[in-house]
Structure formats: C-alpha cells, structure tokens
Amino acid sequence: PTGRRSRRPIEPVPCPANDRQSVHRPGTGGFGQWIGDELVVPSRVDLPPRCVFCNEPVDPATYKPRTIYWQSPWLLLLALGYLILFVIVSLIVRKRCDVSYGYCSEHRQKRFWRGMLIVFAFASGMVLILAGAATKQPSGVLIGIGILAILAALVGGLIAMRSISAAGMSGMYFRLKGFGRPFIDGNRTV
C-alpha cells in the first residue's frame, strides 16, 4: 500500500513481535496494531462500534468521526517565551488523524454532566470576578476566588473530559492512547 499524499510505500511500524496484536474491522479499511495500551493506526481509521472505555455496543448516533491532532512535544519550548509564535507554528505543523469511535450511553451521560459542571465552575468564576470588580472598593477576595474557579474549570476540563488522544506519530501512522482496559482487552486479536 502507498500513502495518501505520496507514492512511496508505507513502512510497517517497528515493534516487538510478541507485543504486536492487530485489530481489524472487515469492509471498512480500518486497522491498527496494539503496542501495549496504545493503538497504532493510519491517519484515517474506523474503530469497532464499541465504547472506547467499557467496550459496550455504542449508539450509532454517537459513533462518528472525530479529528485528533498531534504535534511534536518540542514545540512546547516555543510556548515558554513566544506564545503567539507557538500557536501559529502549531497550527501549521500539526498532523491530523481522523478516527471514528463512540461512547456507550453511560459514558456519554457522564461526559455530559462533567462538561456541565465545568461550564458552571467557569461561569461562577466569571460572576465572582465581575462581582468583585463592580463594587466601589474592588474586592480582591472575590476576584481571587473567581480566578481560582476558572483555573479549576480549565484543569478539571482537561482531566474530566479525557478522551482518545495522539501519543505520537511515525510516518503515516499515529499512536493513540486513552482507551479503557475493557476496550483494549476486548479488541485484541492474535
């Protein structure tokens, strides 16, 4: 097989033979190889129609394509001194992986309520900042609590809304992480 953007052959992903197991969905062209808890896939893949956390069947409405981006971790060095340059360079050099996957109703509902809690914490922080600044003598305590609430919402959003993400890239292949143990165990084939 050849890559989409070039005519050179796709190189196999190097990994130990005893730790390499494949997953394949016949008829879709989607495939990958498990290396530990990471799934190595091409830049476009359809995962099995199972919840990526608990391996239960998914509602077809939630099984949809999602875009995952990866960029070299070395780019984070730009963020230390040149935040705007970091954003521009990241948007230019990031690599795109289109993955179709879904969530069961239980995990979809958990993600919804976690998202609502994060929105509430962010909105509460904004209200506290505005209330602290709107008084005749601005209240540093309210403003400080508001800033903490916003920071908690941002950090909580990164943790609570975790999903599948790119752990790395090699050629035309992406290493995806974030799968639940039941999904990993249920989709390994020998």
Side-chain angles (χ1 to χ4, degrees):
T2 59
R4 283 191 339 224
R5 293 184 181 92
S6 69
R7 291 290 168 213
R8 64 183 179 86
I10 294 176
E11 299 296 325
V13 179
C15 60
N18 61 353
D19 195 22
R20 185 171 63 193
Q21 300 182 23
S22 64
V23 61
H24 178 66
R25 221 176 126 213
T28 65
F31 62 93
Q33 294 178 336
W34 288 102
I35 300 177
D37 290 348
E38 294 179 351
L39 181 62
V40 179
V41 297
S43 60
R44 289 188 177 197
V45 66
D46 295 327
L47 296 180
R50 317 280 298 166
C51 177
V52 293
F53 295 124
C54 66
N55 205 36
E56 293 296 318
V58 299
D59 178 14
T62 66
Y63 185 81
K64 58 185 175 183
R66 293 167 170 89
T67 301
I68 297 172
Y69 294 103
W70 179 84
Q71 64 204 18
S72 173
W74 288 102
L75 285 178
L76 292 174
L77 292 175
L78 280 176
L80 295 175
Y82 306 99
L83 188 59
I84 294 174
L85 183 62
F86 165 72
V87 171
I88 293 169
V89 171
S90 294
L91 290 173
I92 293 170
V93 301
R94 68 184 179 177
K95 304 297 181 189
R96 175 182 172 157
C97 181
D98 296 316
V99 182
S100 294
Y101 63 92
Y103 303 106
C104 66
S105 60
E106 178 186 347
H107 284 102
R108 190 174 65 248
Q109 190 174 36
K110 282 182 182 179
R111 286 178 57 84
F112 172 79
W113 286 112
R114 287 176 185 160
M116 293 305 291
L117 182 63
I118 291 164
V119 168
F120 176 75
F122 188 85
S124 298
M126 292 299 294
V127 167
L128 287 170
I129 290 173
L130 293 175
T135 60
K136 289 183 181 179
Q137 293 181 342
S139 172
V141 173
L142 284 179
I143 293 173
I145 293 172
I147 290 171
L148 287 176
I150 289 174
L151 289 175
L154 294 175
V155 171
L158 291 174
I159 294 170
M161 300 302 286
R162 78 168 181 91
S163 188
I164 307 307
S165 61
M169 183 184 172
S170 174
M172 296 287 293
Y173 293 95
F174 286 83
R175 287 189 344 262
L176 302 180
K177 65 179 182 177
F179 299 100
R181 175 58 52 194
F183 181 83
I184 294 169
D185 294 338
N187 289 289
R188 284 190 194 266
T189 59
V190 179

PDB file of all heavy atoms in Angstrom, residues 8 11 14 22-23 29 36 49 56 63 68 72 79-80 90 103-104 120 123 132-133 136 138 150 153 169 179 183:
ATOM      1  N   ARG A   8       5.206   6.693  -2.144  1.00  0.00           N
ATOM      2  CA  ARG A   8       6.169   5.786  -1.532  1.00  0.00           C
ATOM      3  C   ARG A   8       5.436   4.780  -0.658  1.00  0.00           C
ATOM      4  O   ARG A   8       4.396   5.089  -0.081  1.00  0.00           O
ATOM      5  CB  ARG A   8       7.227   6.544  -0.734  1.00  0.00           C
ATOM      6  CG  ARG A   8       6.691   7.302   0.434  1.00  0.00           C
ATOM      7  CD  ARG A   8       7.823   8.086   1.101  1.00  0.00           C
ATOM      8  NE  ARG A   8       7.302   8.839   2.199  1.00  0.00           N
ATOM      9  CZ  ARG A   8       7.136   8.374   3.434  1.00  0.00           C
ATOM     10  NH1 ARG A   8       7.468   7.139   3.723  1.00  0.00           N
ATOM     11  NH2 ARG A   8       6.643   9.138   4.379  1.00  0.00           N
ATOM     12  N   GLU A  11       5.722   2.253   5.433  1.00  0.00           N
ATOM     13  CA  GLU A  11       6.623   1.386   6.181  1.00  0.00           C
ATOM     14  C   GLU A  11       5.874   0.781   7.363  1.00  0.00           C
ATOM     15  O   GLU A  11       5.090   1.460   8.011  1.00  0.00           O
ATOM     16  CB  GLU A  11       7.824   2.177   6.695  1.00  0.00           C
ATOM     17  CG  GLU A  11       8.654   2.803   5.589  1.00  0.00           C
ATOM     18  CD  GLU A  11       9.291   1.777   4.698  1.00  0.00           C
ATOM     19  OE1 GLU A  11       9.676   0.706   5.188  1.00  0.00           O
ATOM     20  OE2 GLU A  11       9.384   2.045   3.488  1.00  0.00           O
ATOM     21  N   PRO A  14       7.691  -0.318  13.512  1.00  0.00           N
ATOM     22  CA  PRO A  14       8.574  -1.232  14.225  1.00  0.00           C
ATOM     23  C   PRO A  14       8.100  -1.469  15.648  1.00  0.00           C
ATOM     24  O   PRO A  14       7.800  -0.520  16.374  1.00  0.00           O
ATOM     25  CB  PRO A  14       9.919  -0.500  14.210  1.00  0.00           C
ATOM     26  CG  PRO A  14       9.577   0.926  14.039  1.00  0.00           C
ATOM     27  CD  PRO A  14       8.284   0.975  13.284  1.00  0.00           C
ATOM     28  N   SER A  22      -3.152  -7.134  16.311  1.00  0.00           N
ATOM     29  CA  SER A  22      -3.874  -6.258  15.398  1.00  0.00           C
ATOM     30  C   SER A  22      -5.369  -6.254  15.683  1.00  0.00           C
ATOM     31  O   SER A  22      -5.910  -7.161  16.278  1.00  0.00           O
ATOM     32  CB  SER A  22      -3.634  -6.700  13.955  1.00  0.00           C
ATOM     33  OG  SER A  22      -4.162  -7.990  13.762  1.00  0.00           O
ATOM     34  N   VAL A  23      -6.015  -5.180  15.272  1.00  0.00           N
ATOM     35  CA  VAL A  23      -7.468  -5.072  15.309  1.00  0.00           C
ATOM     36  C   VAL A  23      -7.896  -4.713  13.889  1.00  0.00           C
ATOM     37  O   VAL A  23      -7.253  -3.905  13.236  1.00  0.00           O
ATOM     38  CB  VAL A  23      -7.943  -4.013  16.343  1.00  0.00           C
ATOM     39  CG1 VAL A  23      -7.419  -2.647  16.014  1.00  0.00           C
ATOM     40  CG2 VAL A  23      -9.448  -3.981  16.428  1.00  0.00           C
ATOM     41  N   GLY A  29     -11.725  -0.881   5.875  1.00  0.00           N
ATOM     42  CA  GLY A  29     -10.369  -0.430   5.638  1.00  0.00           C
ATOM     43  C   GLY A  29      -9.687   0.007   6.919  1.00  0.00           C
ATOM     44  O   GLY A  29      -8.530   0.379   6.921  1.00  0.00           O
ATOM     45  N   GLY A  36       1.297  -2.462  23.551  1.00  0.00           N
ATOM     46  CA  GLY A  36       0.942  -2.187  24.942  1.00  0.00           C
ATOM     47  C   GLY A  36      -0.496  -1.692  24.999  1.00  0.00           C
ATOM     48  O   GLY A  36      -1.411  -2.338  24.500  1.00  0.00           O
ATOM     49  N   PRO A  49     -17.419  -0.552  16.502  1.00  0.00           N
ATOM     50  CA  PRO A  49     -18.527   0.226  17.073  1.00  0.00           C
ATOM     51  C   PRO A  49     -18.812  -0.163  18.523  1.00  0.00           C
ATOM     52  O   PRO A  49     -19.880  -0.654  18.867  1.00  0.00           O
ATOM     53  CB  PRO A  49     -19.698  -0.093  16.148  1.00  0.00           C
ATOM     54  CG  PRO A  49     -19.382  -1.440  15.606  1.00  0.00           C
ATOM     55  CD  PRO A  49     -17.886  -1.519  15.516  1.00  0.00           C
ATOM     56  N   GLU A  56     -18.782  -1.681  25.529  1.00  0.00           N
ATOM     57  CA  GLU A  56     -20.194  -1.984  25.277  1.00  0.00           C
ATOM     58  C   GLU A  56     -20.573  -1.465  23.891  1.00  0.00           C
ATOM     59  O   GLU A  56     -19.941  -0.550  23.382  1.00  0.00           O
ATOM     60  CB  GLU A  56     -21.079  -1.317  26.345  1.00  0.00           C
ATOM     61  CG  GLU A  56     -20.900  -1.887  27.737  1.00  0.00           C
ATOM     62  CD  GLU A  56     -21.323  -3.348  27.828  1.00  0.00           C
ATOM     63  OE1 GLU A  56     -22.360  -3.704  27.251  1.00  0.00           O
ATOM     64  OE2 GLU A  56     -20.591  -4.118  28.472  1.00  0.00           O
ATOM     65  N   TYR A  63     -21.513   7.191  17.291  1.00  0.00           N
ATOM     66  CA  TYR A  63     -20.354   6.668  16.564  1.00  0.00           C
ATOM     67  C   TYR A  63     -20.115   7.576  15.376  1.00  0.00           C
ATOM     68  O   TYR A  63     -20.804   7.515  14.364  1.00  0.00           O
ATOM     69  CB  TYR A  63     -20.618   5.233  16.103  1.00  0.00           C
ATOM     70  CG  TYR A  63     -19.426   4.589  15.441  1.00  0.00           C
ATOM     71  CD1 TYR A  63     -18.412   4.032  16.210  1.00  0.00           C
ATOM     72  CD2 TYR A  63     -19.298   4.562  14.072  1.00  0.00           C
ATOM     73  CE1 TYR A  63     -17.306   3.452  15.613  1.00  0.00           C
ATOM     74  CE2 TYR A  63     -18.209   3.979  13.468  1.00  0.00           C
ATOM     75  CZ  TYR A  63     -17.209   3.429  14.250  1.00  0.00           C
ATOM     76  OH  TYR A  63     -16.113   2.862  13.660  1.00  0.00           O
ATOM     77  N   ILE A  68      -8.254  14.096  15.532  1.00  0.00           N
ATOM     78  CA  ILE A  68      -7.238  14.153  16.580  1.00  0.00           C
ATOM     79  C   ILE A  68      -5.986  14.759  15.955  1.00  0.00           C
ATOM     80  O   ILE A  68      -5.586  14.362  14.861  1.00  0.00           O
ATOM     81  CB  ILE A  68      -6.942  12.745  17.139  1.00  0.00           C
ATOM     82  CG1 ILE A  68      -8.202  12.171  17.791  1.00  0.00           C
ATOM     83  CG2 ILE A  68      -5.782  12.781  18.114  1.00  0.00           C
ATOM     84  CD1 ILE A  68      -8.071  10.729  18.206  1.00  0.00           C
ATOM     85  N   SER A  72       4.788  17.756  17.529  1.00  0.00           N
ATOM     86  CA  SER A  72       5.967  17.371  18.282  1.00  0.00           C
ATOM     87  C   SER A  72       5.987  18.061  19.644  1.00  0.00           C
ATOM     88  O   SER A  72       5.712  19.255  19.744  1.00  0.00           O
ATOM     89  CB  SER A  72       7.233  17.754  17.509  1.00  0.00           C
ATOM     90  OG  SER A  72       8.373  17.532  18.306  1.00  0.00           O
ATOM     91  N   ALA A  79       6.412  27.817  23.513  1.00  0.00           N
ATOM     92  CA  ALA A  79       5.393  28.400  24.385  1.00  0.00           C
ATOM     93  C   ALA A  79       6.017  29.097  25.588  1.00  0.00           C
ATOM     94  O   ALA A  79       5.379  29.954  26.202  1.00  0.00           O
ATOM     95  CB  ALA A  79       4.413  27.334  24.841  1.00  0.00           C
ATOM     96  N   LEU A  80       7.241  28.720  25.952  1.00  0.00           N
ATOM     97  CA  LEU A  80       7.882  29.334  27.102  1.00  0.00           C
ATOM     98  C   LEU A  80       8.105  30.828  26.919  1.00  0.00           C
ATOM     99  O   LEU A  80       7.967  31.598  27.861  1.00  0.00           O
ATOM    100  CB  LEU A  80       9.210  28.636  27.411  1.00  0.00           C
ATOM    101  CG  LEU A  80       9.104  27.179  27.847  1.00  0.00           C
ATOM    102  CD1 LEU A  80      10.493  26.580  28.006  1.00  0.00           C
ATOM    103  CD2 LEU A  80       8.320  27.066  29.137  1.00  0.00           C
ATOM    104  N   SER A  90       2.199  25.774  15.634  1.00  0.00           N
ATOM    105  CA  SER A  90       1.428  24.560  15.934  1.00  0.00           C
ATOM    106  C   SER A  90       0.320  24.334  14.915  1.00  0.00           C
ATOM    107  O   SER A  90       0.081  23.206  14.481  1.00  0.00           O
ATOM    108  CB  SER A  90       0.827  24.634  17.327  1.00  0.00           C
ATOM    109  OG  SER A  90       1.828  24.623  18.288  1.00  0.00           O
ATOM    110  N   TYR A 103     -19.200   6.339  22.204  1.00  0.00           N
ATOM    111  CA  TYR A 103     -19.346   6.083  23.636  1.00  0.00           C
ATOM    112  C   TYR A 103     -20.679   5.385  23.884  1.00  0.00           C
ATOM    113  O   TYR A 103     -21.660   5.649  23.191  1.00  0.00           O
ATOM    114  CB  TYR A 103     -19.354   7.386  24.440  1.00  0.00           C
ATOM    115  CG  TYR A 103     -18.140   8.250  24.234  1.00  0.00           C
ATOM    116  CD1 TYR A 103     -18.211   9.414  23.488  1.00  0.00           C
ATOM    117  CD2 TYR A 103     -16.923   7.909  24.792  1.00  0.00           C
ATOM    118  CE1 TYR A 103     -17.106  10.214  23.309  1.00  0.00           C
ATOM    119  CE2 TYR A 103     -15.810   8.700  24.611  1.00  0.00           C
ATOM    120  CZ  TYR A 103     -15.910   9.850  23.873  1.00  0.00           C
ATOM    121  OH  TYR A 103     -14.806  10.638  23.692  1.00  0.00           O
ATOM    122  N   CYS A 104     -20.726   4.540  24.902  1.00  0.00           N
ATOM    123  CA  CYS A 104     -21.997   3.944  25.307  1.00  0.00           C
ATOM    124  C   CYS A 104     -22.826   5.039  25.985  1.00  0.00           C
ATOM    125  O   CYS A 104     -22.331   6.118  26.285  1.00  0.00           O
ATOM    126  CB  CYS A 104     -21.766   2.770  26.252  1.00  0.00           C
ATOM    127  SG  CYS A 104     -21.066   3.232  27.844  1.00  0.00           S
ATOM    128  N   PHE A 120     -20.358  25.330  34.596  1.00  0.00           N
ATOM    129  CA  PHE A 120     -20.863  26.012  35.785  1.00  0.00           C
ATOM    130  C   PHE A 120     -19.716  26.637  36.586  1.00  0.00           C
ATOM    131  O   PHE A 120     -19.807  27.773  37.039  1.00  0.00           O
ATOM    132  CB  PHE A 120     -21.653  25.043  36.670  1.00  0.00           C
ATOM    133  CG  PHE A 120     -22.129  25.651  37.948  1.00  0.00           C
ATOM    134  CD1 PHE A 120     -23.199  26.537  37.967  1.00  0.00           C
ATOM    135  CD2 PHE A 120     -21.501  25.353  39.151  1.00  0.00           C
ATOM    136  CE1 PHE A 120     -23.631  27.114  39.143  1.00  0.00           C
ATOM    137  CE2 PHE A 120     -21.915  25.921  40.343  1.00  0.00           C
ATOM    138  CZ  PHE A 120     -22.985  26.808  40.334  1.00  0.00           C
ATOM    139  N   ALA A 123     -18.424  29.689  34.640  1.00  0.00           N
ATOM    140  CA  ALA A 123     -19.374  30.801  34.735  1.00  0.00           C
ATOM    141  C   ALA A 123     -19.392  31.402  36.136  1.00  0.00           C
ATOM    142  O   ALA A 123     -19.453  32.631  36.301  1.00  0.00           O
ATOM    143  CB  ALA A 123     -20.777  30.330  34.337  1.00  0.00           C
ATOM    144  N   GLY A 132     -16.714  41.081  42.178  1.00  0.00           N
ATOM    145  CA  GLY A 132     -15.621  41.672  42.949  1.00  0.00           C
ATOM    146  C   GLY A 132     -15.157  42.990  42.366  1.00  0.00           C
ATOM    147  O   GLY A 132     -14.776  43.905  43.095  1.00  0.00           O
ATOM    148  N   ALA A 133     -15.189  43.112  41.041  1.00  0.00           N
ATOM    149  CA  ALA A 133     -14.730  44.338  40.381  1.00  0.00           C
ATOM    150  C   ALA A 133     -15.800  45.413  40.335  1.00  0.00           C
ATOM    151  O   ALA A 133     -15.482  46.599  40.170  1.00  0.00           O
ATOM    152  CB  ALA A 133     -14.263  44.018  38.973  1.00  0.00           C
ATOM    153  N   LYS A 136     -17.653  49.470  44.825  1.00  0.00           N
ATOM    154  CA  LYS A 136     -16.924  50.739  44.898  1.00  0.00           C
ATOM    155  C   LYS A 136     -15.464  50.504  45.255  1.00  0.00           C
ATOM    156  O   LYS A 136     -14.577  51.161  44.742  1.00  0.00           O
ATOM    157  CB  LYS A 136     -17.579  51.665  45.916  1.00  0.00           C
ATOM    158  CG  LYS A 136     -18.899  52.205  45.451  1.00  0.00           C
ATOM    159  CD  LYS A 136     -19.470  53.166  46.456  1.00  0.00           C
ATOM    160  CE  LYS A 136     -20.813  53.673  45.943  1.00  0.00           C
ATOM    161  NZ  LYS A 136     -21.430  54.580  46.876  1.00  0.00           N
ATOM    162  N   PRO A 138     -13.046  47.510  44.940  1.00  0.00           N
ATOM    163  CA  PRO A 138     -12.945  46.157  44.409  1.00  0.00           C
ATOM    164  C   PRO A 138     -12.466  45.154  45.469  1.00  0.00           C
ATOM    165  O   PRO A 138     -11.549  45.428  46.224  1.00  0.00           O
ATOM    166  CB  PRO A 138     -11.927  46.281  43.284  1.00  0.00           C
ATOM    167  CG  PRO A 138     -11.998  47.711  42.869  1.00  0.00           C
ATOM    168  CD  PRO A 138     -12.322  48.475  44.122  1.00  0.00           C
ATOM    169  N   ILE A 150     -12.042  29.616  37.755  1.00  0.00           N
ATOM    170  CA  ILE A 150     -11.791  29.491  36.320  1.00  0.00           C
ATOM    171  C   ILE A 150     -10.629  28.528  36.069  1.00  0.00           C
ATOM    172  O   ILE A 150     -10.696  27.664  35.188  1.00  0.00           O
ATOM    173  CB  ILE A 150     -11.532  30.867  35.690  1.00  0.00           C
ATOM    174  CG1 ILE A 150     -12.839  31.659  35.669  1.00  0.00           C
ATOM    175  CG2 ILE A 150     -10.952  30.734  34.283  1.00  0.00           C
ATOM    176  CD1 ILE A 150     -12.696  33.086  35.206  1.00  0.00           C
ATOM    177  N   ALA A 153     -11.798  25.059  36.612  1.00  0.00           N
ATOM    178  CA  ALA A 153     -12.623  24.606  35.494  1.00  0.00           C
ATOM    179  C   ALA A 153     -11.745  24.183  34.315  1.00  0.00           C
ATOM    180  O   ALA A 153     -12.005  23.157  33.674  1.00  0.00           O
ATOM    181  CB  ALA A 153     -13.589  25.700  35.061  1.00  0.00           C
ATOM    182  N   MET A 169       3.618   9.936  16.606  1.00  0.00           N
ATOM    183  CA  MET A 169       3.408   9.707  15.189  1.00  0.00           C
ATOM    184  C   MET A 169       4.696   9.186  14.584  1.00  0.00           C
ATOM    185  O   MET A 169       5.789   9.598  14.981  1.00  0.00           O
ATOM    186  CB  MET A 169       2.998  11.003  14.509  1.00  0.00           C
ATOM    187  CG  MET A 169       2.682  10.840  13.066  1.00  0.00           C
ATOM    188  SD  MET A 169       2.320  12.418  12.333  1.00  0.00           S
ATOM    189  CE  MET A 169       2.243  11.922  10.647  1.00  0.00           C
ATOM    190  N   PHE A 179      -7.635   4.613  25.814  1.00  0.00           N
ATOM    191  CA  PHE A 179      -8.673   3.584  25.767  1.00  0.00           C
ATOM    192  C   PHE A 179      -8.845   2.951  27.140  1.00  0.00           C
ATOM    193  O   PHE A 179      -7.888   2.825  27.895  1.00  0.00           O
ATOM    194  CB  PHE A 179      -8.290   2.486  24.765  1.00  0.00           C
ATOM    195  CG  PHE A 179      -8.127   2.985  23.365  1.00  0.00           C
ATOM    196  CD1 PHE A 179      -6.873   3.232  22.843  1.00  0.00           C
ATOM    197  CD2 PHE A 179      -9.235   3.208  22.566  1.00  0.00           C
ATOM    198  CE1 PHE A 179      -6.711   3.696  21.547  1.00  0.00           C
ATOM    199  CE2 PHE A 179      -9.089   3.673  21.271  1.00  0.00           C
ATOM    200  CZ  PHE A 179      -7.818   3.918  20.758  1.00  0.00           C
ATOM    201  N   PHE A 183     -11.974  -2.121  26.599  1.00  0.00           N
ATOM    202  CA  PHE A 183     -11.889  -1.954  25.147  1.00  0.00           C
ATOM    203  C   PHE A 183     -10.602  -2.569  24.612  1.00  0.00           C
ATOM    204  O   PHE A 183     -10.597  -3.256  23.597  1.00  0.00           O
ATOM    205  CB  PHE A 183     -11.954  -0.467  24.769  1.00  0.00           C
ATOM    206  CG  PHE A 183     -11.906  -0.233  23.291  1.00  0.00           C
ATOM    207  CD1 PHE A 183     -13.052  -0.330  22.521  1.00  0.00           C
ATOM    208  CD2 PHE A 183     -10.718   0.086  22.656  1.00  0.00           C
ATOM    209  CE1 PHE A 183     -13.014  -0.113  21.149  1.00  0.00           C
ATOM    210  CE2 PHE A 183     -10.654   0.310  21.292  1.00  0.00           C
ATOM    211  CZ  PHE A 183     -11.806   0.212  20.534  1.00  0.00           C
TER     212      PHE A 183
END
